[in-house]
């Protein structure tokens, strides 16, 4: 059975909001009978763009997480819904029947991803439909994906098995849903840019009466005396160890020159950390 | 064939002509009757008016009168009876030529100008009669346009500042607006082969985010649907100008509104003489070549004679007033051409330096996200990137690379320090300097401190910029050792840094740095892959600045291509009085001001100071304003509110789509419709004029028919129609319209372009767009400045500089006096050799509103930068209750109100007790704006960032004298010119303080 699969590359999202706005263009002031009632002009975010900044001025990066309905395989919204108001189509799209769902606010609160919205005036829960009304008409992709200029959003129509291979091959991940094993089916690439932390720093030298960046210095990262990663500084003397889990105790950063340790810094990571410039 | 026969044979015999003329008139009568019988549309047209119209010859009694009564036509030969309308031909041969050549506008215009034909009677009736006759020539049946889709919607096409679009319409309502995806019949795109890889852009157009907000703006509750009059404005009694911006409005009929404006136009001309009418518009408009402000508006305003508000080169500033004096390029306002640079950059370049450059936010201009894929290719190829900007902008965030964050308005110090490192370490192109440039020794002396004892070292710049010396030294070494593209601004020749008190020094230092590295050599050029795609520039289609139907040879680009190709009545503004746009308030309140022109013809165009009032001219008494953007876009904008409320302005009319900004300060408001509700025609990103071949930002040339997708909402009308109806009241109806329709003007423009060679009008109208094929690889434009670097004649496809501006042979060397790239400017030496504000070489002139102005800094310690917005185009797509308001990084909803955002470093916020989304008052001596605080590490500490371009001006108390919670950041920016000898904005040199807002309404 072929299904629609959503793959999102966090590293390619630049928060242009084309997806968010194309979604509103399609769904605000337009009813799609059999699919969904119109989205209120303001308030709902069927494609919810979340932002994170990591690091400290001036060694920072910024990432955005586009978060639509996760089209869960074991969807809490389906479980909590009465009289089959929420259902999963054979092509993988989770749908809310607006008539049957009227008054069922539990569908909103059941979602661990906060992807279902409550239409106060209609008393109906609403969410992303993957533009099923267009897909059924032969559109190749939903509006958000069509609108994306960077390639961050992609949908493909594939057999589960083939998609499984793709997930393994490309190391795709889903969002965590806490204690709720919802089995989301929206997959992410480079999710670490949003979820993980980094250690970054700069190495400089003050020899010969002027301050200079130190390029090509070797920097090693240890945890519990185990070498995790090695890198070298760039032209600006900067280095960065990325995709590290947080809150797992101390890391040690060592600057090495001809096998001698020039400097060593202990770091604990709750958030991404930028070290004070290391002067050697 | 008939026309040829008439031309060659018949008109040579006046007697024969006369006989044929009479036969033709009889024939015409029968044609009218037959058409009315078979064509229901024509029948209903005939029912629109009751009138009598006579077509006759001036020197004989010969003619025929046509009488239209309740849809019935009768005809008389009798000429004693006086008709409502008379079409009078000079003689029979002239009549025959014109009647048989209705589609030949060259012939028609010639006849009109030389009085071969004249029209008498009320304009409105004459026009109706002429259009009715013209319809007779067209085949019956409706114009077919748009594509019927499976679900019953019709897919139309249109165009916007953010890219071309499909517009899906059902039951007269817009359902959705999407980017254009090309079909299998559209041309294939180009492929660039670089470093073993092939790069081809996707076969679709991208659009800016705000384009998706358009449907919500068309149906916005802020749409003006009826003509309005301020309740306490009485043109015959109390006008209460002091209440502009305060009083409410009442709905009036179109006739009343038009009559008031027409009679005010006549009144001020009669009472005060030439110059009393002032007209101005924003720099941008809904897309098109006919309804555009440089087209229909210009035609009308020229026809009535009006003082024009002159635009400062606001996107270019430092390039226009500074860089131009070193490398010429006056025809591009001091910016540069960028031909062939996408291919050269991908093939050769090793480092791109983005300096005050955020194309991912600004899209260059009109570039949507076309450059994005090219920059992603560059990243994949491992081309290094550096971003110099006080704000960690979206281009930096997407692409990564080193971020250097200078204090605003100081980065020209960094430029000098880079030059210092290159000079002392010898890492610059000595041969290029010797052969292609002049004046380097003067600059070198200054950099090394031989003149002033201050060596411009990285350490020296650190004091100014706060960027560590080591980083600048590292950048200089990297740049000096790699083939580098410099991207100054989102487009080459833009950039927030150029709109600051130090913008002139910054822009020209950019040029001089590239001169040191051999501008034009392989991999060494200007640009950040935003411009320079290998498109066909030989295919002619006009940009909006080429004047459309303006008839204006003086202030548009009409005379370059369009006047020859699209014959039309010329229009000339008899009023030479000009008002600098940034000095409108002083013009009105003080009665005098001065300015320097934006005249790109020559480098010297900017030297011709002008004054207001012009000799023998009246000060402005009537203000005809087009749209309402100035509070959001002009500096120290409270001045504008005060000016509007002055009794010196006797009458204000605003023609606007939405009820916002300055529209709320008018006496009469004309409701204009959007471009989705009228006909137009235009090419994506083609502005023409001083941005020649602007469309090479795009990966495809997409020329669109801009369908009238829906009927105008409410009683709104197209700008063209409004001008037409006003013109009729001033006896200018026929001259304005040339007795054609908006759709016919589109067809005339189509015919004036190269389109008829590749697609029929019928097919173009139906399908709605045409993609110009990319040229074959060996026909691609050469790389900009390659000819210069190699000492050859100029070979890129632009006509500038003008032939007389070459010092040696045509196409040899640059526009400068020496023909070389001048480190020391000859033009400035001629004009003002001792101007301390603009020395002959780029120097470190500190900002007049920055960290050195210590008395101000004590009160207002934060530097505010206000770049062009990301989710709107100036004010065009903001506010209006549109969906863009919901973009988290655009506005923030707090207590039911969408507040504008100010970005503040966490450290500065903590010092002020400010937390995320707190409402804060941003203020200085000029005003106060209430914003939502966004805490971030993306802005250099000590500075704050907020976009310009709020459409909403919402003063809490008295307009002009109270805080604004709409978000017009420009209430805070200085109105001072960058230098005295200019007309310029320094909006990015602005000191403010920020505090938590306690809800008060004090400034």
């Amino acid at each position: 059975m072929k299904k629609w699969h959503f793959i999102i590359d966090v590293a390619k999202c630049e928060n242009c909001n084309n997806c968010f706005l194309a979604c509103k263009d399609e769904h605000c002031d337009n009813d799609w009978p059999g699919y969904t009632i119109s989205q209120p002009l303001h308030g709902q975010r069927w494609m919810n763009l979340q932002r994170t900044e990591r690091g400290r001025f001036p060694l920072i990066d910024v990432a955005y997480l586009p978060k639509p309905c996760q089209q869960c395989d074991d969807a809490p919204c389906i479980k909590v819904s009465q009289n089959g108001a929420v259902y999963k189509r054979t092509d993988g799209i989770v749908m809310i029947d607006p008539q049957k769902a009227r008054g069922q606010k539990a569908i909103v609160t059941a979602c661990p991803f906060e992807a279902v919205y409550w239409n106060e005036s209609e008393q109906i829960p609403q969410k992303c439909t993957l533009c099923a009304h267009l897909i059924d008409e032969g559109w190749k992709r939903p509006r958000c994906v069509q609108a994306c200029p960077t390639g961050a959003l992609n949908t493909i129509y594939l057999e589960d098995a083939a998609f499984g291979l793709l997930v393994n091959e490309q190391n795709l991940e889903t969002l965590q849903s806490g204690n709720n094993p919802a089995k989301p089916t929206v997959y992410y690439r480079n999710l670490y840019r949003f979820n993980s932390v980094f250690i970054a720093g700069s190495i400089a030298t003050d020899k010969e009466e002027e301050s200079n960046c130190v390029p090509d210095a070797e920097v090693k990262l240890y945890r519990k005396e185990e070498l995790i990663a090695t890198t070298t500084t760039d032209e600006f003397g900067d280095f960065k160890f990325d995709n590290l889990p947080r809150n797992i105790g101390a890391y040690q950063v060592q600057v090495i020159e001809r096998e001698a340790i020039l400097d060593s810094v202990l770091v604990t990571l709750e958030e991404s950390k930028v070290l004070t410039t290391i002067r050697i | 064939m008939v026309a040829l026969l008439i031309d060659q044979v018949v008109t040579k015999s006046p007697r024969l002509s006369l006989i044929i003329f009479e036969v033709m008139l009889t024939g015409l009568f029968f044609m009218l009757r037959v058409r009315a019988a078979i064509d229901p549309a024509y029948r209903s047209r005939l029912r629109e008016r009751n009138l009598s119209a006579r077509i006759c010859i001036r020197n004989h009694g010969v003619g025929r009168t046509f009488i239209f009564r309740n849809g019935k036509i009768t005809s008389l030969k009798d000429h004693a009876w006086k008709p409502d309308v008379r079409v009078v031909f000079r003689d029979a041969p002239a009549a025959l030529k014109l009647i048989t050549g209705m589609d030949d506008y060259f012939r028609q215009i010639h006849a009109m100008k030389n009085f071969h034909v004249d029209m008498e009677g009320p304009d409105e009736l004459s026009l109706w009669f002429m259009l009715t006759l013209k319809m007779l020539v067209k085949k019956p049946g409706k114009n077919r346009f748009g594509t019927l889709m499976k679900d019953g919607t019709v897919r139309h096409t249109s165009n916007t500042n953010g890219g071309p679009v499909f517009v899906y319409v059902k039951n007269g309502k817009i359902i959705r607006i999407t980017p254009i995806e090309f079909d299998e019949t559209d041309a294939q795109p180009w492929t660039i082969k670089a470093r073993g890889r092939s790069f081809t852009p996707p076969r679709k157009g991208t659009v800016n985010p705000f384009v998706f907000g358009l449907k919500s703006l068309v149906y916005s509750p802020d749409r003006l649907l009826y003509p309005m009059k301020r309740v306490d404005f009485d043109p015959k009694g109390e006008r209460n100008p002091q209440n502009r911006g305060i009083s409410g409005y009442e709905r009036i009929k179109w006739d009343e509104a038009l009559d008031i404006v027409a009679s005010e136009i006549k009144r001020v001309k009669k009472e005060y003489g030439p110059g009393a009418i002032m007209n101005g518009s924003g720099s941008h408009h809904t897309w098109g070549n006919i309804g555009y402000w440089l087209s229909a508006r210009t035609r009308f305003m020229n026809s009535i004679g009006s003082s024009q508000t002159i635009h400062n080169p606001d996107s270019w500033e430092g390039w226009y007033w500074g860089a131009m004096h070193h490398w010429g390029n006056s025809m591009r306002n001091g910016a540069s051409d960028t031909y062939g640079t996408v291919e050269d950059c991908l093939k050769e370049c090793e480092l791109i330096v983005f300096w005050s450059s955020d194309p991912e936010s600004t899209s260059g201009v009109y570039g949507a996200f076309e450059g994005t894929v090219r920059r992603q290719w560059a990243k994949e190829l491992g081309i290094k990137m550096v971003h110099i900007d006080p704000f960690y902008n979206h281009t930096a965030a997407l692409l990564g690379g080193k971020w250097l964050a200078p204090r605003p308005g100081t980065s020209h110090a960094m430029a000098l320090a880079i030059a210092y490192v290159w000079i002392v370490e010898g890492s610059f192109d000595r041969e290029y300097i010797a052969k292609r440039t002049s004046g380097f020794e003067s600059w070198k002396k200054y950099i090394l401190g031989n003149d002033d004892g201050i060596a411009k070292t990285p350490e020296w710049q650190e004091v100014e910029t706060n960027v560590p010396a080591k980083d600048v030294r590292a950048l200089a070494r990297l740049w000096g050792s790699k083939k580098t593209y410099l991207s100054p601004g989102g487009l080459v020749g833009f950039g927030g840094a150029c709109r600051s008190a130090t913008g002139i020094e910054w822009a020209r230092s950019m040029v001089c740095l590239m001169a040191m590295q051999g501008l034009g050599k392989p991999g060494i050029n200007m640009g950040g892959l935003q411009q320079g795609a290998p498109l066909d520039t030989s295919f002619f289609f006009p940009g909006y600045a080429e004047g459309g139907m303006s008839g204006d040879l003086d202030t548009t680009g009409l005379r370059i291509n369009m006047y020859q190709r699209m014959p039309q009545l010329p229009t000339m503004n008899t009023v030479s009085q000009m008002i600098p746009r940034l000095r409108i308030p002083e013009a009105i309140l003080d009665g005098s001001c001065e300015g320097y022109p934006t005249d790109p013809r020559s480098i010297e165009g900017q030297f011709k100071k002008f004054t207001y009032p012009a000799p023998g001219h009246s000060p402005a008494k009537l203000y005809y304003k087009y749209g309402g953007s100035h509070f959001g876009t002009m500096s120290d904008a409270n001045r504008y509110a005060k000016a509007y409320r002055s009794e010196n302005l006797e009458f204000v009319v605003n023609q606007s789509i939405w009820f916002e900004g300055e529209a709320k300060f008018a006496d009469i408001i004309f409701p204009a419709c959007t471009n989705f509700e009228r006909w137009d025609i235009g090419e994506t990103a083609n502005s023409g004029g001083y941005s020649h071949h602007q469309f090479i930002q795009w990966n495809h040339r997409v020329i669109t028919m801009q369908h009238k997708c829906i009927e105008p909402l409410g009683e709104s009308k197209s700008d063209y129609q409004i001008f037409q109806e006003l013109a009729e009241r001033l006896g200018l109806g026929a001259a304005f319209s040339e007795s054609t329709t908006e759709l016919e003007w589109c067809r005339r423009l189509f015919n004036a372009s190269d389109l008829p060679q590749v697609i029929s009008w019928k097919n173009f109208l139906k399908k709605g767009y045409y993609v110009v094929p990319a040229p074959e690889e060996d026909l691609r434009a050469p790389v900009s400045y390659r000819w210069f670097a190699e000492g050859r004649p100029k070979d890129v496809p632009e006509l500038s500089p003008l032939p007389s501006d070459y010092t040696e042979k045509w196409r040899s060397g640059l526009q400068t006096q020496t023909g070389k790239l001048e480190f020391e400017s000859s033009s400035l030496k001629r004009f003002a050799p001792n101007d301390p504000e603009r020395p002959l070489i780029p120097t470190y002139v500190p900002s007049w509103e920055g960290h050195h102005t210590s008395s101000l800094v004590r009160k207002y310690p934060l530097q505010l930068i206000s770049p062009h917005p990301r989710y709107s185009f100036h004010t065009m797509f903001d506010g209006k209750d549109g969906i863009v308001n919901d973009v988290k990084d655009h506005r923030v909803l707090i207590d039911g109100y969408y507040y504008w955002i100010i970005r503040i470093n966490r450290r500065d916020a903590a010092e002020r007790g400010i937390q995320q989304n707190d409402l804060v008052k941003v203020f200085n001596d000029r005003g106060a704006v209430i914003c939502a605080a966004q805490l971030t590490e993306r802005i250099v500490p000590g500075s704050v960032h907020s976009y310009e371009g709020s459409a909403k001006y919402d003063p809490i108390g008295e307009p002009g004298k109270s805080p604004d919670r709409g978000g017009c950041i420009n209430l805070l920016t200085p109105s001072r010119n960058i230098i005295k000898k200019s007309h310029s904005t320094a909006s990015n040199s602005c000191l403010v303080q920020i505090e938590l807002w306690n809800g008060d309404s004090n400034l």
Side-chain angles (χ1 to χ4, degrees), chain A residues 10-30 32 39-45 48-51 53-64 133-134 136-139 141 143 145-152 193 202-206 209-214 234-238 277 279, chain B residues 150-151 168 173-179 181 204 206-210 212-216 219 221 360-361 369 372-373 376 379-380 384 386 390 392 394-395 397-398 402-405 425 459 469-475 477-478 482 870-871 881-889 898 905-907 916 934-941:
Chain A
V10 175
K12 283 187 175 169
C13 178
E14 58 164 321
N15 198 37
C16 75
N17 275 266
N18 273 16
C19 53
F20 170 71
L21 291 165
C23 171
K24 291 186 88 69
D25 177 65
E26 184 65 28
H27 290 283
C28 293
D29 205 18
N30 283 330
W32 302 115
Q39 187 185 126
L41 191 63
H42 300 297
Q44 299 193 4
R45 299 179 183 279
N48 191 5
L49 288 160
Q50 298 181 330
R51 173 172 64 110
E53 282 180 25
R54 305 189 303 169
R56 264 188 85 76
F57 174 87
L59 287 178
I60 65 166
D61 64 17
V62 180
Y64 301 92
H133 65 293
L134 296 177
D136 289 352
E137 233 176 58
W139 282 54
R141 52 193 76 83
R143 288 290 307 275
V145 176
Q146 185 197 41
C148 179
T150 65
R193 286 280 307 271
S202 302
I203 303 178
T205 174
D206 296 323
E209 289 184 350
E210 63 175 37
S211 173
N212 275 302
C213 301
V214 179
D234 66 13
E235 292 84 353
F236 294 91
D238 294 342
T277 301
R279 299 202 172 260
Chain B
K150 265 192 246 168
D151 64 351
Y168 292 72
K173 186 170 170 294
I174 296 174
I175 300 296
R176 69 173 65 88
I177 296 176
T178 76
E181 291 182 316
K204 63 176 185 180
T206 52
V207 296
N208 279 103
F210 46 74
F212 294 108
L214 272 165
K215 185 182 78 174
S216 67
Y219 298 108
E360 293 304 327
S361 291
F369 290 97
T372 305
V373 70
Q376 287 177 320
K379 193 180 173 186
E380 287 170 27
K384 289 178 187 296
V386 171
Y392 185 74
H394 295 277
T395 307
L398 177 66
K402 180 66 176 176
W403 174 38
L404 300 173
E425 297 186 358
E459 282 71 18
K470 70 179 176 68
D471 290 349
V472 171
R473 201 173 282 115
L475 171 61
R477 286 174 184 158
L478 184 64
K482 304 267 182 214
R870 192 174 198 216
Y871 302 103
D881 197 36
I883 58 174
V884 167
N885 283 346
D886 283 38
V887 171
K888 288 178 187 172
D889 206 23
Y898 284 98
N905 187 280
R906 289 176 196 283
R907 195 191 74 183
Q916 180 75 7
Q934 187 187 93
L935 275 51
T936 180
E937 293 295 306
R938 297 178 76 155
I939 182 75
V940 56

Side-chain angles (χ1 to χ4, degrees), chain A residues 43-161:
Chain A
Q44 299 193 4
R45 299 179 183 279
W46 294 8
M47 175 59 87
N48 191 5
L49 288 160
Q50 298 181 330
R51 173 172 64 110
T52 187
E53 282 180 25
R54 305 189 303 169
R56 264 188 85 76
F57 174 87
L59 287 178
I60 65 166
D61 64 17
V62 180
Y64 301 92
L65 183 77
K67 210 169 82 171
C69 165
Q70 300 290 302
Q71 313 290 354
C72 302
D73 271 343
D74 208 355
C77 57
I78 296 181
K79 283 187 198 158
V80 81
S81 68
Q82 308 286 312
N83 60 34
V86 191
Y87 57 98
K88 189 154 181 125
R89 305 197 334 173
T90 54
D91 63 0
I93 304 174
V94 175
M95 296 292 292
I96 300 176
D97 182 316
Q99 273 70 46
K100 290 183 183 168
R102 191 179 298 273
Q104 295 194 44
K105 209 166 185 173
I107 294 168
V108 174
T109 47
C111 178
F113 303 105
E114 297 175 320
V116 186
Y117 292 84
W118 185 245
N119 186 325
E120 191 61 42
S121 63
E122 300 296 322
Q123 296 288 300
I124 287 175
Q126 291 181 280
K127 68 165 192 72
C128 158
T129 64
L130 212 75
C131 288
H133 65 293
L134 296 177
I135 297 285
D136 289 352
E137 233 176 58
W139 282 54
K140 301 278 191 295
R141 52 193 76 83
R143 288 290 307 275
C144 54
V145 176
Q146 185 197 41
C148 179
T150 65
L153 306 186
N154 286 285
T155 41
I156 47 171
Y157 190 53
L158 260 189
E159 297 281 354
D160 275 348

